[in-house]
């Protein structure tokens, strides 16, 4: 299979700064590359590349890998299990199979991201849901002993994973916090929907997990704080190296321009983006797919600006 055209170019990943890794995967629901991911990548070839403030920014090159048939196979296996147990009641063997397929995905992403980091590229995962996060974080953790996560999302995905339970998307950030000690800070921005359990977990770990919910952001605005000062509150809690995790539900909370401004504030603070995952792209219509494409471009170009490639 040939390379996928992205943002008007078919670049060789080895000659690019950003390598987009599409992952045909999501937990708990059917995911199809051609239905959910390919339109986003195709729309990337239709958007306007000229930026009012930064021009064309041609120095930062992008490439996009083809998706892996392995991830499709693992995802289909999980989908069959869910179809056979529509009420969500799994026996021990089903839970084992779900968790084993998730481990395979995590190991695959771990190796994939490590490979591109060793090639001095910024790997950017894009796929169905936040369960992509753990594989990307584990790879980054072998190169950085102290880094933070800037998590832009409507949900925290901080539900505790108990022994004997099947992994779900809702466990994503909890699994990272529990198993990757190199992550020193998690700054979650935009949260609107969370459970009492997730709130309790955050409060017990408030030195490491900092929340800026939609309500908290609004309160800052009501008190007269500028958006710039609010962004700085998020960023000042992060160490020098930052892994960026974006769930597209954040577009219900922040506009693309607000997200770009926040990322520029991050760059101006001299912090460095060391990895990105872009998730939540399943079950969205054409209009949202186009918005996701625009946000993807903003994120990629923000990385380019952080490396002086404008």
């Amino acid at each position: 299979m040939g390379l996928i055209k992205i943002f008007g170019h078919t670049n060789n990943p080895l000659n690019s700064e950003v390598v987009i890794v599409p992952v045909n995967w999501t937990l708990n629901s059917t995911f199809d590359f051609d239905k959910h991911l390919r339109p986003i990548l195709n729309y990337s070839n239709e958007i306007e590349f000229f930026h009012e403030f930064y021009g064309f920014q041609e120095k930062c090159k992008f490439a996009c890998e083809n998706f892996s048939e392995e991830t499709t196979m693992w995802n289909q296996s999980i989908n069959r299990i869910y179809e056979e147990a529509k009420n969500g009641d799994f026996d021990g063997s089903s839970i084992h199979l779900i968790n084993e397929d998730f481990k395979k995905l995590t190991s695959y992403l771990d190796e994939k991201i490590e490979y591109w980091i060793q090639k001095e590229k910024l790997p950017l995962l894009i796929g169905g849901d936040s369960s992509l996060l753990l594989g990307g974080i584990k790879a980054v953790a072998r190169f950085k002993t102290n880094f933070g996560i800037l998590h832009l999302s409507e949900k925290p995905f901080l539900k505790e994973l108990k022994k004997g339970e099947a992994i779900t998307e809702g466990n994503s950030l909890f699994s990272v916090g529990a198993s990757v000690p190199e992550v020193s800070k998690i700054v979650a921005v935009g949260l609107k929907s969370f459970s009492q359990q997730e709130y309790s977990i955050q409060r017990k770990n408030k030195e490491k997990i900092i929340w800026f919910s939609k309500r908290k952001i609004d309160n800052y605005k009501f008190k007269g704080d500028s958006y710039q000062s609010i962004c700085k509150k998020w960023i000042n809690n992060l160490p020098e190296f930052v892994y960026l995790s974006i769930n597209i539900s954040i577009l219900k909370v922040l506009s693309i321009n607000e997200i770009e401004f926040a990322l520029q504030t991050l760059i101006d603070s001299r912090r460095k983006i060391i990895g990105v995952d872009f998730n939540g792209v399943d079950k969205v219509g054409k209009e949202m797919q186009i918005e996701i494409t625009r946000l993807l471009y903003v994120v990629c170009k923000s990385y380019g600006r952080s490396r002086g490639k404008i």
Side-chain angles (χ1 to χ4, degrees):
M1 297 176 69
L3 293 170
I4 296 174
K5 189 176 182 181
I6 186 81
F7 299 121
H9 299 285
T10 308
N11 292 321
N12 185 321
L14 293 174
N15 298 326
S16 304
E17 281 76 38
V18 178
V19 179
I20 296 169
V21 181
V23 188
N24 196 29
W25 167 278
T26 186
L27 281 164
N28 312 340
S29 64
T30 301
F31 190 74
D32 181 81
F33 176 82
D34 288 312
K35 182 178 179 181
H36 298 109
L37 260 180
R38 192 180 294 281
I40 294 169
L41 303 177
N42 287 343
Y43 289 138
S44 77
N45 300 300
E46 301 175 14
I47 65 174
E48 176 56 62
F49 300 117
F50 179 76
H51 193 287
E52 180 181 2
F53 301 146
Y54 306 111
F56 281 104
Q57 307 178 86
E58 292 293 347
K59 292 182 181 179
C60 184
K61 292 182 179 180
F62 311 120
C64 185
E65 287 192 327
N66 277 296
F67 75 93
S68 164
E69 295 288 354
E70 289 178 291
T71 62
T72 301
M73 181 175 63
W74 300 326
N75 202 47
Q76 288 174 342
S77 171
I78 287 179
N79 289 336
R80 284 194 295 269
I81 295 170
Y82 273 91
E83 287 174 7
E84 293 168 1
K86 293 185 182 297
N87 60 0
D89 294 330
F90 305 116
D91 58 25
S93 61
S94 295
I95 291 172
H96 176 74
L97 288 172
I98 291 171
N99 291 346
E100 283 301 306
D101 280 344
F102 176 71
K103 287 179 182 177
K104 291 175 185 175
L105 172 81
T106 299
S107 296
Y108 166 82
L109 295 179
D110 186 347
E111 294 174 5
K112 173 73 69 175
I113 299 306
E114 180 181 17
Y115 172 81
W116 288 120
I117 291 175
Q118 287 178 329
K119 298 293 184 183
E120 298 183 342
K121 313 299 179 186
L122 178 77
L124 188 153
L125 295 175
I126 180 171
D129 68 29
S130 286
S131 59
L132 303 178
L133 179 61
L134 185 59
I137 289 291
K138 282 192 168 184
V140 170
R142 278 199 289 280
F143 295 86
K144 301 295 179 186
T145 58
N146 176 21
F147 64 97
I149 299 173
L150 179 57
H151 178 61
L152 304 180
S153 175
E154 183 186 27
K155 297 180 180 180
F157 305 114
L158 200 58
K159 294 179 180 178
E160 183 178 2
L161 179 61
K162 297 179 180 178
K163 188 175 181 180
E165 290 183 342
I167 185 78
T168 70
E169 180 188 22
N171 308 130
S172 302
L173 212 57
F174 178 87
S175 298
V176 168
S179 62
V180 188
E182 291 83 358
V183 175
S184 59
K185 293 283 184 178
I186 299 172
V187 177
V189 173
L191 308 178
K192 287 175 65 177
S193 175
F194 46 86
S195 66
Q196 182 177 355
Q197 182 200 62
E198 290 173 305
Y199 179 76
S200 297
I201 290 172
Q202 188 272 330
R203 295 306 297 167
K204 290 177 182 176
N205 299 275
K206 60 184 179 181
E207 296 301 318
K208 179 175 181 178
I209 306 173
I210 297 95
W211 277 14
F212 291 90
S213 66
K214 173 66 165 59
R215 187 184 300 275
K216 191 171 185 178
I217 294 169
D218 285 344
N219 281 345
Y220 283 131
K221 291 180 179 178
F222 297 154
K223 292 176 180 178
D225 285 11
S226 68
Y227 183 65
Q228 182 180 40
S229 70
I230 295 171
C231 290
K232 287 181 177 180
K233 293 179 193 298
W234 312 338
I235 292 162
N236 288 342
N237 282 284
L238 290 163
E240 178 184 3
F241 298 105
V242 179
Y243 182 100
L244 187 60
S245 180
I246 300 177
N247 186 281
I248 59 92
S249 65
I250 192 61
L251 291 173
K252 299 176 185 178
V253 182
L254 300 176
S255 70
I256 290 178
N257 286 344
E258 286 175 319
I259 295 170
E260 182 175 26
F261 185 87
L263 294 180
Q264 186 60 49
T265 305
L266 178 75
I267 293 165
D268 291 343
S269 74
R270 305 295 183 184
R271 287 167 174 81
K272 298 178 179 62
I273 300 170
I274 55 174
V276 183
D277 69 70
F278 211 86
N279 58 76
V281 303
D282 61 330
K283 297 181 180 179
V284 295
K286 179 179 178 180
E287 185 176 337
M288 180 56 77
Q289 287 172 335
I290 294 171
E291 285 298 288
I292 294 168
T293 303
R294 290 173 178 155
L295 180 57
L296 179 64
Y297 184 72
V298 163
V299 172
C300 289
K301 285 304 186 182
S302 294
Y303 171 77
R305 291 199 296 275
S306 74
R307 291 295 187 263
K309 295 182 178 294
I310 299 177

